[in-house]
Amino acid sequence: MKYIVKRLLGTIPIVLGVSLLLYIMLNIVPGDPVALMMGEHVNADTIERVRARMHLDDPLLVRFSKYVLDALKGDLGYSYKLKREVSTLIWQAFPNTAILAVAGAMVSWIIGIPAGVISAVRKNSAVDYGVMTFALIGVSMPVFWSGLLFQYFFGLKLKWLPISGFDGLNIKYIIMPAIVLGWSSAATIARLTRSSLLEVMSADYIRTAREKGLLRYQVVMRHALKNAFLPVLTVMTIQIASLLSGAVITETIFGIPGIGRIAVSAIQTRDMPLLQGSVMFTTILIILGNLVADILYGFLDPRIKYN
């Protein structure tokens, strides 16, 4: 419990540092948010009055302090373009991102872990080379390219699945973006599982288990895989936290109204409060993902002690 509290307290300066850096970067970008919000045909006096009412003429640190205090109350600002509260927009988009992230992570784990185990057990065989080739293709191929290929073959040519759109838990809208999103992650999981399992398989206790007459699959499943799973677990936890923060390219290609897509929209329309809120939400999710991974380490391996 002390470790969890210590880690949570340690995240405070990280979040403040990221938010300050982001706030400075967004405020030095050319452009007037008030002019964007009110349109082109507004006179300069009106723009100045609105700027003063929104405290945009205050010093940067004063505005940042106010932003932090409001954020602690759950107020992330007001979208210039959509004319709505940023926190409302994020929470409306998050369930869609969560559905896509969970589906993509499941695809990644279902493909990656068995592939890595089979590759490690059949080391230097044709199966091993085939799996590693698959992993290399998955890591090397950009998500936007694989997404377009899937849309072309399964959407346009075969007409099995809709090209874009989203309808909650409707599987036909989820399966294609989930496979596209999970494929590259599956390749990473497969490679990491293979290397970690090969390292564990050379340990003394594994040789002892073999000499006791245990079958090969028993040695792997009962003894080796659990200890080899620790680094894989770390990547899996951080992976799902990253996916929850918004799969920007996948959501944009398949027209999914999630966190990533509203961030892209905020960039295109120079909607700074919405962009800052999206990035801060992303940062917090990734930090929490790292914390969860560290806590799970202790449950899987009692030898790990936190002082």
Side-chain angles (χ1 to χ4, degrees):
M1 187 63 186
K2 289 182 179 179
Y3 173 76
I4 298 174
V5 173
K6 183 179 179 181
R7 283 296 309 273
L8 286 173
L9 292 175
T11 61
I12 296 175
I14 296 175
V15 173
L16 287 175
V18 171
S19 60
L20 177 60
L21 181 62
L22 179 64
Y23 200 87
I24 293 173
M25 292 174 63
L26 293 181
N27 277 272
I28 63 176
V29 174
D32 190 344
V34 176
L36 174 67
M37 179 176 62
M38 302 189 68
E40 300 178 358
H41 307 291
V42 180
N43 60 58
D45 292 337
T46 303
I47 291 177
E48 288 301 320
R49 287 198 300 270
V50 174
R51 285 183 61 85
R53 189 166 65 245
M54 296 175 65
H55 303 285
L56 293 177
D57 293 329
D58 293 343
L60 181 63
L61 290 179
V62 173
R63 284 184 284 146
F64 175 70
S65 301
K66 184 178 184 302
Y67 174 80
V68 171
L69 292 175
D70 290 340
L72 291 174
K73 302 173 186 176
D75 181 7
L76 296 176
Y78 195 78
S79 169
Y80 296 150
K81 191 68 176 179
L82 300 178
K83 307 290 193 298
R84 297 178 62 189
E85 292 184 355
V86 171
S87 56
T88 301
L89 293 170
I90 290 176
W91 284 116
Q92 285 180 345
F94 181 67
N96 300 330
T97 296
I99 293 171
L100 176 62
V102 172
M106 293 299 294
V107 169
S108 172
W109 302 341
I110 290 171
I111 296 174
I113 295 174
V117 172
I118 293 171
S119 183
V121 172
R122 303 290 298 275
K123 180 183 177 182
N124 295 329
S125 67
V127 174
D128 182 21
Y129 294 135
V131 170
M132 287 302 99
T133 300
F134 163 80
L136 182 62
I137 293 173
V139 171
S140 303
M141 184 176 290
V143 174
F144 73 86
W145 177 244
S146 58
L148 293 175
L149 287 178
F150 270 69
Q151 286 179 325
Y152 178 75
F153 285 109
F154 297 105
L156 286 176
K157 288 295 185 182
L158 299 176
K159 300 187 184 301
W160 288 354
L161 297 167
I163 296 176
S164 64
F166 196 73
D167 187 20
L169 295 174
N170 191 331
I171 190 66
K172 69 178 183 179
Y173 288 98
I174 298 173
I175 186 168
M176 188 155 57
I179 293 174
V180 170
L181 188 61
W183 185 15
S184 59
S185 300
T188 303
I189 295 292
R191 295 176 66 185
L192 184 59
T193 302
R194 178 185 183 275
S195 61
S196 182
L197 191 56
L198 286 175
E199 183 179 351
V200 171
M201 292 289 284
S202 63
D204 292 337
Y205 72 92
I206 296 296
R207 287 195 291 268
T208 302
R210 287 173 176 169
E211 291 171 358
K212 289 167 61 177
L214 292 178
L215 297 176
R216 192 174 189 180
Y217 82 90
Q218 292 176 320
V219 173
V220 173
M221 301 306 295
R222 294 183 185 179
H223 298 280
L225 188 57
K226 180 180 179 181
N227 291 318
F229 200 63
L230 287 175
V232 181
L233 175 67
T234 304
V235 173
M236 289 169 60
T237 308
I238 297 173
Q239 177 190 87
I240 195 168
S242 300
L243 294 177
L244 284 171
S245 65
V248 177
I249 298 175
T250 307
E251 290 181 358
T252 302
I253 290 175
F254 290 97
I256 299 173
I259 298 292
R261 194 176 179 192
I262 67 171
V264 171
S265 175
I267 294 172
Q268 293 172 340
T269 59
R270 304 178 65 81
D271 195 340
M272 299 309 177
L274 182 57
L275 178 58
Q276 175 142 347
S278 302
V279 175
M280 286 307 305
F281 188 76
T282 297
T283 302
I284 292 172
L285 283 177
I286 293 176
I287 290 173
L288 291 177
N290 279 276
L291 177 62
V292 170
D294 288 344
I295 295 171
L296 289 178
Y297 253 48
F299 286 104
L300 287 179
D301 191 347
R303 296 173 299 176
I304 297 176
K305 302 294 182 182
Y306 297 116
N307 297 317

